[in-house]
Amino acid sequence: FELDYTPEEEAFRQELRTWLASHLPSEKLPEDDEPRREFQRAWQRRLAESRWIGIQWPAEHGGRDATLKQQIIYTEEMARVRAPGVLDPV
């Protein structure tokens, strides 16, 4: 099954790819609990600063008002680069 994306949705994908290219951590996720939590907190803060956390939330609450297809694109792109998970995802 393959989705068709609009030019606006592909622009969203490109914006995320560009952001990930310059912000994705290069270091490996620590194995020990406390260093791993600190790493994930730092990554989550970095994502939140650019509104890449809670993208489906309203813009006035720090989200991007992301549509379902944009949320799918987000998931595809995060998986593509094997982005680290965030601490306690909802």
Side-chain angles (χ1 to χ4, degrees), residues 47-48 50-65:
L47 288 163
S50 297
R51 297 181 22 237
W52 289 116
I53 285 285
I55 63 168
Q56 72 280 9
W57 298 345
E60 62 267 18
H61 296 291
R64 291 176 170 260
D65 292 314

Side-chain angles (χ1 to χ4, degrees), residues 3-89:
L3 293 174
D4 290 324
Y5 295 108
T6 66
E8 293 80 15
E9 290 162 343
E10 289 299 342
F12 176 86
R13 180 187 306 278
Q14 190 56 51
E15 178 185 358
L16 178 54
R17 281 186 177 185
T18 299
W19 187 87
L20 285 168
S22 61
H23 292 88
L24 187 68
S26 57
E27 59 274 9
K28 187 178 176 185
L29 185 67
E31 291 185 26
D32 292 334
D33 285 342
E34 189 57 33
R36 183 177 60 246
R37 282 192 294 272
E38 288 303 316
F39 180 93
Q40 288 175 299
R41 279 188 194 101
W43 173 234
Q44 188 165 335
R45 276 192 299 273
R46 194 178 308 171
L47 288 163
E49 288 167 359
S50 297
R51 297 181 22 237
W52 289 116
I53 285 285
I55 63 168
Q56 72 280 9
W57 298 345
E60 62 267 18
H61 296 291
R64 291 176 170 260
D65 292 314
T67 65
L68 179 57
K69 285 172 89 176
Q70 288 172 324
Q71 292 173 55
I72 291 168
I73 290 167
Y74 178 87
T75 301
E76 289 173 344
E77 292 304 314
M78 293 303 231
R80 181 184 64 81
V81 297
R82 293 187 168 100
V86 297
L87 190 63
D88 299 324

